[in-house]
């Protein structure tokens, strides 16, 4: 056997790949992998694929295997490259042989060979195989060999539509290929199939244009020169009417091109597409007639037709692309104006497409979940009803008042036509009426903005009042929904009967499921819009009716019911509390059955949170949740990885059901049933991944139980002793930072609730916290542990300061290397160490209360009047980058930082000024212009001398200067409101401090101000000048 491999052996392997026996196939694959390492392998595969000596299946398989071989052995720069690389001689031979296979009479072989050529072209065109595209174009234009023509066209299609083409190819491909495709399309000799293929290639190129950076403008210039001729050739094809069961393959790909060009370049190229607008409009009007006859007034039964790529090429796809193209015409500024004088006709057309089809009714009658999905999930699948509804929204957005006038006229016309059909005995009369109701309800927000143009009250009373009692169930349900959408425009007295009717429909067992669903949606929409007095009496029935629909609900229906229930529960706490047991029972059952559904889980959590706001509901919630949690915290469940997510959610539910009220809102059953399981898990588990979530729940128990933990016993120890045992374990060096992430909040809560009762344990706890802080490397853990000390300093400065001064530490991790300029290894006081970390990380603190606590602690450091303390060196600002103020989120996203060393006094004063700047920047972010210094020659000395001690009472000045800054993050701890600092006006507090400092220590103030960076100096100067102006 020579260096070129024998065909016979390779054919045997290929034949074995077709054998059903998996073991035989596996051995064949292994042998092929060995053969692929030998020279000549690719040449022999090519020979088999393009030759006539093997069976059709083997030749096709050879082409497919060859494609894979090319992708992995051709270019060593590819990520999936495998040795050895194909030799130059073999590459040349493969390039020479492959085109022959495009002329095969068998389409499957042509496709396999085309795929292999496209793969080679990916690597070798245009440098190594410069004539490839021109050769394929020539073959595509031949009239003597139709198989070769089809094979070449297929190859070009694969090359431009798959991953074979790159940004390097497109600029060189466009000027060669696009004009050639136009010639192929226009040639009288070109077959229908060839025109479809040529148009498909154009569509792929247009899709590529936007993807490849730097190509789009050149491509657009080329398109501009070709579009007029392209439209001249294609618009007559689009304009020609066809029956429902026609094969729309060419029309579909032509509309794909028009739709994508209009959507992407409608504003740039809109003038070129003006000739297309009347053609598309006429085609859409014609299609509506076909749609009504075959879909709305009968159940279309045309067979689903697919093209060579498996795409559906029937009437529905063509309709979708027509509507998409109309959408593109409306979005493009040049073409939109063409419809200014025909809005009524446009809206009438859209109302027609919004009618319910017979096929939809058949599906919805048998599956209400399909009704929810089709009506609410617009991304799931195409529907003319959804597309027309979106188009109507576009019309309303662009034409506003004129669109409303057109909508009102069309609504009246359709209602008249519906009545005429009803009188004629048509069973479909109600569909036009239902489309009107759906359109009006879907346009409610636009109508509400112009209430004088549409009489919503009359429409509600005269139309919807009749339709809620219609014998057509889909019209009945839609009318209820529409009334709710119009509720902002209609008096409550008019809406009250509709609310009552919705509750009756929801609870009526003989109503179809889709009507009850519509009633449910209507009630949920009424809830935030009507007064509690009108809603509360009907809430018991509403809750009962919604709960009855949960059985057998699919994903879409479940989401709707959970969201509706949330709206209802918010109406009246007394009613929701009274129904806490049935509601919570259904919610927990729904979660248990759909625990992998994140959307449902989140909404169930929100629903439980509403119930938990009532302290009277908490015992019920805890009783119902207890057995679920006990089961999930059993030893067998804890080791089941599949339940880990469910356990975490269950613990979150526990946190919620402990409530946000005062201490003692926990039942003995909950305390004795859950806390021992938590403790056992926290002190024994080796699975560090669960420690964080369990520690969070333990913190909730500490919050709720408080002093009760002093007397509660488990296995001979008090609850406090067990909590300290858990904390001690989290202090362990063996526990990674990520597992101890909630250690800081747990310690803070323990001190807040039980501080005086801890006695001598408290200093030991703080010392252990300090030790863990020194070992921590994860910034979020470092910050959380540091905040334990920040809170103590802010609330108990006099007591904690001497303790921290007396402790000595040698930093293990030098006070956060990422926030200091120098490595700190010498011994220092614990206070100094904490101050270094605090000053370096203050800008990463988030949450209004946490920021306030940090700033108050800093001010109190000044008030100690301890000159040695305020002179301690701490990390300063990041060195040198620009003049833009950074938000906290931007600071947290920053990378490694270099910082200078500053005295504590300068650092604190700078952070105070920066905090005021951030507050102002938050409020002024969208304001026009940047504030300028009205008197740049003034300095701090002259300003301070002029207003003396005026700053002593800076609160009113602050109120006039700035609005309250938004919190970056809501503080979810229910105890936050009990903190004395919770209601502190931070702006007034900080400016008062600045004013007192200026009044009582002007020299010190001037030294601190002069040490500020230029941006902070400018801000402080402007603030003082504004106060000066006010005093005048």
């Amino acid at each position: 056997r020579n260096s070129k491999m024998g065909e016979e052996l390779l054919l045997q392997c290929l034949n074995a790949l077709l054998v059903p026996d998996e073991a035989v196939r596996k051995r064949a694959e292994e042998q092929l992998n060995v053969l692929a390492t030998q020279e000549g392998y690719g040449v022999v595969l090519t020979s088999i694929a393009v030759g006539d000596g093997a069976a059709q299946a083997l030749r096709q398989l050879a082409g497919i295997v060859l494609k894979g071989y090319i992708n992995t052995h051709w270019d060593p720069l590819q990520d999936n490259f495998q040795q050895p690389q194909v030799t130059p001689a073999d590459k040349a031979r493969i390039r020479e042989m492959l085109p022959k296979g495009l002329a095969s009479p068998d389409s499957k072989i042509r496709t396999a060979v085309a795929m292999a050529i496209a793969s080679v072209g990916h690597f070798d065109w245009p440098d190594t195989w410069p004539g490839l595209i021109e050769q394929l174009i020539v073959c595509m234009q031949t009239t003597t060999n139709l198989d070769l023509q089809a094979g070449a066209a297929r190859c070009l299609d694969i090359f431009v539509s798959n991953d074979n083409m790159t940004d390097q190819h497109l600029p060189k491909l466009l000027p060669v290929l696009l004009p050639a495709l136009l010639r192929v399309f226009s040639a009288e000799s070109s077959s229908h199939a060839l025109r479809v293929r040529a148009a498909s290639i154009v569509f792929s190129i247009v899709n590529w244009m936007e993807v490849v950076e730097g190509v789009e403008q050149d491509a657009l210039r080329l398109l501009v020169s070709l579009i007029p001729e392209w439209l001249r050739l294609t618009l007559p094809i689009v304009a020609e009417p066809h029956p429902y069961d026609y094969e729309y393959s060419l029309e579909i790909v032509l509309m794909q091109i028009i739709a994508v060009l209009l959507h992407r370049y409608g504003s740039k190229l809109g003038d070129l597409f003006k000739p297309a607008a009347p053609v598309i409009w006429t085609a859409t009007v014609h299609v509506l007639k076909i749609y009504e006859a075959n879909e709305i007034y009968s159940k279309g039964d045309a067979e689903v037709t697919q093209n060579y790529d498996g795409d559906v090429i029937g009437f529905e796809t063509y309709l979708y692309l027509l509507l998409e193209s109309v959408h593109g015409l409306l979005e493009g500024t040049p073409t939109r104006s063409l419809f200014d004088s025909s809005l009524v006709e446009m809206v009438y057309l859209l109302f027609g497409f919004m009618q319910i089809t017979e096929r939809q009714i058949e599906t919805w009658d048998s599956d209400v979940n399909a009704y929810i999905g089709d009506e609410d999930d617009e991304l799931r699948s195409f529907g003319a009803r959804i597309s027309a509804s979106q188009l109507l929204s576009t019309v309303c957005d662009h034409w506003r008042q004129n669109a409303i006038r057109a909508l009102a006229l069309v609504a009246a016309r359709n209602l008249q036509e519906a009545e005429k059909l009803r009188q004629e005995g048509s069973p479909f009369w109600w569909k036009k009426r239902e489309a009107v109701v759906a359109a009006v309800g879907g346009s409610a927000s636009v109508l509400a903005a112009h209430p004088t143009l549409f009489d919503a009250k009359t429409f509600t009373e005269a139309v919807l009042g009749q339709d809620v009692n219609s014998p057509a169930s889909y019209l009945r349900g839609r009318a209820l929904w529409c009334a709710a959408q119009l509720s902002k425009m209609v008096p409550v007295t008019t809406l009250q009967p509709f609310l009552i009717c919705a509750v009756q429909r929801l609870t009526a067992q003989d109503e179809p499921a889709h009507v009850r669903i519509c009633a449910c949606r209507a009630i949920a929409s009424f809830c935030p819009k009507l007064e509690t007095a009108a809603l509360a009496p009907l809430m018991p029935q509403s809750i009962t009716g919604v709960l009855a629909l949960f059985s057998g609900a699919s994903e879409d229906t479940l989401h709707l019911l959970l969201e509706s229930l949330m709206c209802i529960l918010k109406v009246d706490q007394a009613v929701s509390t009274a129904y806490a047991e049935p509601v919570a029972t259904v919610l927990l059952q729904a979660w248990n059955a759909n625990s992998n559904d994140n959307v449902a889980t989140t909404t169930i959590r929100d629903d439980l949170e509403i119930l938990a706001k009532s302290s009277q509901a908490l015992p019920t919630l805890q009783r119902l949740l207890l057995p679920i949690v006990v089961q999930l915290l059993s030893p067998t469940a804890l080791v089941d990885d599949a339940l880990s997510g469910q356990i975490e959610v269950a613990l979150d539910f526990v946190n919620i059901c402990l409530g946000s009220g005062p201490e003692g809102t926990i039942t003995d059953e909950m305390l004795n049933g859950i806390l021992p399981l938590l403790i056992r898990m926290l002190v024994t588990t080796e699975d560090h991944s669960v420690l964080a979530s369990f520690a969070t729940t333990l913190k909730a128990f500490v919050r709720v139980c408080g002093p009760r933990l002093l007397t509660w016993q488990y296995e001979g120890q008090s609850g406090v002793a067990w909590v300290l045992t858990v904390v001690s374990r989290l202090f362990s060096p063996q526990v990674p930072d990520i597992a101890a992430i909630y250690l800081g909040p747990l310690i803070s809560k323990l001190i807040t609730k039980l501080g005086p009762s801890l006695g001598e344990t408290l200093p030991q706890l703080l010392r252990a916290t300090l030790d863990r802080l020194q070992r921590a490397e994860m910034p979020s853990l470092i910050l959380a542990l540091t905040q334990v000390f920040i809170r103590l300093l802010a609330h108990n400065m006099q007591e904690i300061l001497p303790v921290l001064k007396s402790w000595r530490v040698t930093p293990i991790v030098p006070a956060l290397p990422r926030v200091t300029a120098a490595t700190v290894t010498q011994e220092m006081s614990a206070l100094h160490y904490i101050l270094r970390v605090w000053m370096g990380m203050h800008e990463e603190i988030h949450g209004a209360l946490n920021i306030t606590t940090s700033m108050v602690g800093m001010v109190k450091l000044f008030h100690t009047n301890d000159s040695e303390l305020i002179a301690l060196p701490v990390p300063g600002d990041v060195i040198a980058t620009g003049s833009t103020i950074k938000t906290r989120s931007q600071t947290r996203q920053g990378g490694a930082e270099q910082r200078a060393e500053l005295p504590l006094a300068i650092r604190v004063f700078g952070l105070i000024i920066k905090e005021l700047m951030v507050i102002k920047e938050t409020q002024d972010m969208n304001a026009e212009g940047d504030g300028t210094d009205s008197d740049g020659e003034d300095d701090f000395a002259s300003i301070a001398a002029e207003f003396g001690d005026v700053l002593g009472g800076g609160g009113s000045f602050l109120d006039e200067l700035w609005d309250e800054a938004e919190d970056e993050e809501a503080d979810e701890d229910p105890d936050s409101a009990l903190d004395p600092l919770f209601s502190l006006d931070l702006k007034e507090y900080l400016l008062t401090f600045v004013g007192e400092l200026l009044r009582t220590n002007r020299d010190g103030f001037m030294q601190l101000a002069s040490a500020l960076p230029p941006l902070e100096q400018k801000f402080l100067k402007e603030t003082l000048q504004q106060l000066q102006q006010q005093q005048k």
Side-chain angles (χ1 to χ4, degrees):
R1 190 170 54 185
N2 58 24
S3 61
K4 294 196 175 184
M5 304 171 45
E7 228 177 82
E8 184 177 346
L9 180 58
L10 196 48
L11 283 171
Q12 290 175 359
C13 292
L14 293 174
N15 196 55
L17 291 178
L18 301 175
V19 173
D21 191 322
E22 184 177 354
V24 173
R25 292 200 308 272
K26 185 175 181 180
R27 285 195 298 270
E29 291 172 1
E30 293 171 351
Q31 191 167 10
L32 280 176
N33 289 334
V34 173
L35 295 175
T37 64
Q38 301 183 28
E39 185 179 351
Y41 173 78
V43 175
V44 176
L45 276 176
T46 306
S47 176
I48 294 172
V50 303
D52 298 326
Q56 180 266 349
L58 293 178
R59 292 176 61 194
Q60 181 187 2
L61 183 57
I64 295 172
V65 173
L66 176 63
K67 175 183 179 291
Y69 174 72
I70 292 168
N71 289 339
T72 55
H73 290 271
W74 205 269
D75 186 353
L77 298 180
Q78 300 302 303
D79 293 338
N80 62 341
F81 175 75
Q82 299 175 15
Q83 292 287 358
Q85 184 180 4
V86 184
T87 66
D90 279 1
K91 287 182 177 181
R93 184 68 179 133
I94 291 170
R95 287 192 296 265
E96 179 186 353
M97 297 168 63
L98 272 176
K100 175 186 174 184
L102 295 177
S104 171
D106 190 296
S107 63
K108 293 182 179 179
I109 293 175
R110 290 199 302 267
T111 298
V113 171
M115 292 168 63
I117 292 175
S119 292
V120 175
H122 171 79
F123 299 113
D124 288 3
W125 185 81
D127 297 331
T128 310
W129 200 354
L132 172 61
I133 299 302
E134 289 82 354
Q135 181 181 357
L136 292 173
I137 290 173
V138 170
C139 293
M140 186 172 60
Q141 293 175 324
T142 183
T143 57
T144 58
N145 189 333
L146 297 184
D147 290 331
L148 178 60
Q149 181 192 79
R154 180 66 170 137
C155 186
L156 284 169
D157 198 1
I158 292 172
F159 182 71
V160 301
S161 61
N162 290 354
D163 295 333
N164 296 301
M165 192 163 65
T166 68
D167 55 351
Q168 303 299 315
H169 295 128
L170 195 58
K172 300 172 183 178
L173 182 70
L174 287 175
V176 176
L177 187 54
L178 277 178
L181 292 170
L182 189 61
R183 291 194 299 271
V184 169
F185 196 89
S186 62
E188 292 184 3
S189 60
S190 294
S191 65
H192 180 273
L194 184 59
R195 285 193 173 94
V196 172
R197 186 69 75 180
S200 176
I201 297 170
V202 172
F203 176 61
S204 296
I205 291 174
V206 170
N207 269 333
W208 262 95
M209 282 170 44
E210 191 180 43
V211 175
V212 182
E213 186 177 355
V215 174
E216 190 172 15
Q217 293 306 314
D218 292 338
L220 278 177
R221 281 193 288 271
L222 181 60
L223 278 175
V224 167
S225 66
L226 298 177
I227 282 176
E229 179 64 13
W230 178 259
L231 291 178
R232 186 187 69 79
L233 295 170
T234 59
L235 288 180
I237 298 173
V238 175
E240 186 174 350
H242 296 290
Y244 180 68
D245 56 357
Y246 180 73
E247 190 263 288
Y248 287 90
S249 57
L250 181 56
E251 288 77 6
I252 284 172
V253 72
L254 294 179
M255 293 311 304
Q256 284 176 325
I257 296 169
I258 291 174
V260 73
L261 286 174
L262 285 171
H263 276 290
R264 292 180 183 171
Y265 311 114
S267 295
K268 295 179 181 178
L269 306 181
D271 288 331
L272 294 175
F273 280 93
K274 286 184 177 180
V279 175
I280 294 172
W281 174 258
T282 302
T284 308
V285 171
H286 171 72
V287 163
L288 174 59
K289 297 176 182 177
I290 299 176
Y291 184 67
E292 286 184 325
N294 293 275
E295 295 281 353
I296 295 172
Y297 302 141
S298 68
K299 186 176 66 176
D301 55 0
E303 293 184 3
V304 175
T305 308
Q306 295 180 326
N307 64 9
Y308 40 77
D309 291 323
D311 300 323
V312 177
I313 53 176
F315 174 82
E316 187 175 16
T317 304
Y318 181 54
L319 168 57
Y320 165 73
L321 290 166
L322 275 176
L323 293 176
E324 280 294 293
S325 297
V326 172
H327 201 165
L329 291 170
L330 297 182
E331 291 290 355
T333 304
T335 51
R336 184 189 311 146
S337 60
L338 299 175
F339 296 94
D340 287 345
S341 60
S342 53
L343 282 182
V344 172
E345 292 81 1
M346 169 68 74
V347 174
Y348 183 80
L349 187 78
L350 298 178
F351 273 43
F353 284 116
M354 290 181 67
Q355 296 174 88
I356 297 175
T357 68
E358 285 295 286
R359 189 180 306 176
Q360 286 174 322
I361 292 173
E362 182 180 66
T363 301
W364 296 344
D365 281 347
S366 61
D367 182 8
V368 69
N369 297 313
Y371 175 70
I372 300 297
D374 286 350
E375 289 291 286
D376 292 344
D377 191 353
E378 297 178 358
L379 300 178
R380 171 159 300 177
S381 61
F382 162 73
R385 181 179 173 90
I386 290 174
S387 189
S389 176
Q390 293 171 338
L391 270 172
L392 182 60
S393 296
T394 300
V395 170
C396 290
D397 288 341
H398 288 311
W399 281 279
R400 308 297 290 182
Q401 297 185 33
N402 287 337
I404 295 173
R405 294 186 182 98
L407 187 149
L409 289 172
V410 173
R413 175 180 170 184
N414 273 28
L415 290 173
Q416 291 173 357
E417 292 178 358
E419 178 59 22
K420 181 180 179 182
L421 288 172
R422 189 185 68 80
Q423 292 176 359
E424 293 173 352
S426 171
F428 308 110
W429 67 271
W430 61 269
K431 292 189 177 186
K432 279 185 173 291
R433 196 171 178 101
E434 193 275 344
V436 170
V437 175
V440 170
S443 307
S445 60
V446 178
L447 300 178
H450 305 280
T452 59
L453 299 179
F454 185 86
D455 190 346
K457 180 176 182 294
T458 299
F459 182 85
T460 302
E461 292 174 338
V463 178
L464 301 183
Q466 177 181 341
D467 290 346
V468 292
N469 296 307
S470 170
S473 62
Y474 286 99
L475 178 56
R476 230 169 28 242
R478 181 61 61 185
L480 289 172
W481 169 83
C482 184
Q485 303 309 303
L486 297 176
S487 56
K488 288 185 177 179
M489 306 169 61
V490 178
V492 174
T493 53
T494 301
L495 292 175
Q496 189 71 18
F498 289 91
L499 175 61
I500 295 171
C501 182
V503 175
Q504 291 172 344
R505 300 281 187 235
L506 175 63
T507 55
Q509 297 299 315
D510 57 345
E511 279 285 7
H514 59 264
V515 175
R516 297 171 69 189
I517 287 293
C518 282
C520 176
R521 295 170 67 190
I523 294 168
S525 296
F526 278 128
C527 284
K529 300 168 186 173
L530 298 182
E531 296 294 330
T532 301
L535 292 164
L538 298 170
M539 289 306 97
Q541 292 172 274
S542 300
I543 292 173
T544 303
V546 173
L547 294 182
L549 294 173
F550 271 83
S551 178
S554 72
E555 181 180 296
D556 293 312
T557 306
L558 177 64
H559 295 168
L560 184 147
L561 294 175
L562 289 170
E563 291 164 4
S564 300
L565 187 60
M566 186 191 310
C567 295
I568 296 170
L569 292 175
K570 288 179 179 179
V571 169
D572 188 279
Q573 189 179 78
V575 176
S576 61
T577 300
Y579 282 82
E581 179 147 4
V583 171
T585 300
V586 170
L587 290 176
L588 293 174
Q589 288 173 348
W591 173 66
N592 190 53
N594 301 274
S595 58
N596 293 325
D597 186 335
N598 292 331
V599 174
T601 297
T602 300
T603 315
I604 289 168
R605 182 194 188 281
D606 295 340
D607 288 343
L608 288 174
E609 204 163 29
I610 294 171
L611 294 175
K613 289 181 179 179
S614 167
S615 59
Q616 295 176 327
L618 291 178
T620 299
L621 298 180
Q622 293 172 16
R623 173 170 53 81
L624 295 173
L625 184 61
L626 180 59
I628 297 174
V629 178
V630 169
Q631 183 178 0
L632 286 172
L633 296 187
S634 66
T636 54
L638 288 171
V639 298
D640 187 346
D641 292 339
L643 295 176
S644 59
Q646 200 169 347
I647 291 172
E648 190 167 343
V649 172
L651 292 176
D652 187 33
F653 288 173
V654 170
N655 298 343
I656 292 170
C657 292
L658 290 178
S660 57
E663 295 177 0
T665 50
I666 182 171
T667 63
D668 289 340
E669 292 78 11
M670 191 72 166
L671 177 60
N672 297 323
I674 303 295
L675 189 53
L677 299 177
L678 283 176
I679 291 170
R680 183 181 64 196
M681 183 65 178
L682 285 165
V683 300
T684 62
T685 184
E686 298 300 326
D687 183 0
H688 294 153
S689 65
V690 304
L691 285 177
S693 55
F694 276 74
T696 302
T697 305
L698 182 62
K699 179 175 82 81
F701 272 89
V702 172
R703 178 186 66 80
V704 173
C705 296
R708 191 173 175 183
L709 293 176
L710 295 168
T711 56
W712 182 82
Q713 295 282 314
Y714 170 60
E715 293 186 351
Q717 291 193 74
S718 69
V720 173
W722 279 115
V723 174
L724 292 172
T725 300
V726 171
V727 170
S728 177
R729 181 161 192 229
L730 295 175
F731 282 145
S732 170
Q734 282 71 46
V735 175
D737 285 5
I738 187 64
I741 193 68
Y742 294 112
L743 178 58
L746 176 59
I747 295 170
S748 292
K749 187 59 63 181
L750 188 62
I751 294 173
T752 300
K753 292 294 183 179
L754 297 166
S757 303
L758 294 176
E760 292 300 318
T761 305
L762 180 57
Q764 298 172 18
L765 179 63
L766 293 178
R767 184 71 206 206
T769 304
L770 180 63
D771 293 341
R772 186 66 179 88
L773 172 60
Q774 288 183 267
R775 293 194 311 273
E777 298 180 3
M778 188 175 178
S780 52
L781 177 60
I782 294 169
L783 182 60
L785 294 174
T786 304
Q787 285 180 287
V788 173
F789 296 100
I790 293 174
R791 290 189 184 96
L792 287 171
L793 289 167
H795 289 287
N796 307 98
M797 179 73 72
Q798 297 303 318
E799 292 81 359
I800 193 65
L801 207 59
V803 176
L804 296 179
K805 281 184 176 181
S806 67
W807 291 346
R808 307 298 294 176
V809 298
T810 301
I812 300 172
V813 176
L816 282 189
R818 66 183 290 269
V819 294
T820 60
T823 299
V824 181
T825 56
Q826 71 271 24
E827 185 182 73
M828 62 179 68
S829 71
L831 177 63
H832 188 189
Y833 180 83
I834 291 166
L835 290 173
R836 290 189 63 83
V837 182
W838 179 6
M839 296 301 114
M841 296 196 76
H842 167 77
E843 289 163 308
E844 299 192 30
I845 295 174
H846 51 74
L849 181 58
N850 290 333
I851 294 168
T852 299
T853 302
S854 181
M855 298 309 302
V856 168
M858 292 184 196
V859 170
K860 288 189 174 181
L861 290 173
F862 256 102
H863 287 160
T864 62
N865 296 318
D866 186 333
S867 58
E868 182 178 345
L869 170 64
I870 62 175
L872 290 172
V874 294
D877 281 331
V878 178
I879 295 174
T881 59
S883 61
T884 303
I885 303 172
K886 282 190 176 183
T887 65
R888 284 188 175 79
S889 60
Q890 291 170 330
T891 301
R892 289 194 294 272
Q893 293 167 4
E897 299 167 340
Q898 292 295 318
R899 294 182 181 244
E901 295 281 306
L902 296 175
L904 178 64
I906 292 177
R907 176 59 171 161
V908 167
F909 189 73
L911 287 173
I912 289 170
I913 300 303
K914 183 176 290 188
E915 185 63 35
L916 291 170
M917 293 174 71
V918 169
I919 294 172
K920 186 176 187 300
E921 182 79 3
T922 301
Q923 298 301 316
D924 293 348
M925 194 171 295
N926 297 320
E928 292 184 2
D930 299 320
T932 54
D933 190 344
S934 60
D935 188 2
E937 299 302 318
D938 288 346
D939 57 21
F940 285 113
S942 61
I943 294 172
E946 187 161 346
F947 8 151
D949 61 359
V950 167
L951 283 177
S956 59
F957 168 57
L958 284 170
D959 288 338
E960 294 174 10
L961 277 182
W962 304 313
D963 294 329
E964 185 68 38
E966 291 183 359
D967 294 344
E968 281 192 342
E969 179 177 297
D971 193 336
E972 295 183 353
D973 189 338
D975 287 342
S976 294
L978 303 177
D979 193 306
L981 301 181
F982 181 77
S983 57
L984 180 71
D985 186 330
L986 183 58
K987 296 192 301 284
E988 180 175 356
Y989 179 83
L990 294 180
L991 253 293
T992 299
F993 164 73
V994 171
E996 289 177 351
L997 185 62
L998 175 59
R999 187 182 71 247
T1000 59
N1001 186 0
R1002 185 164 302 164
D1003 291 340
F1005 179 90
M1006 297 307 301
Q1007 291 177 5
L1008 293 173
S1010 62
L1012 291 172
L1015 192 62
E1016 280 85 338
Q1017 286 193 22
K1018 181 174 181 290
F1019 172 80
L1020 183 57
K1021 185 188 301 184
E1022 290 173 349
T1023 300
L1024 297 177
Q1025 286 174 334
Q1026 289 179 33
L1027 179 60
Q1028 177 187 17
Q1029 292 168 3
Q1030 278 210 332
Q1031 294 305 309
K1032 291 179 180 179

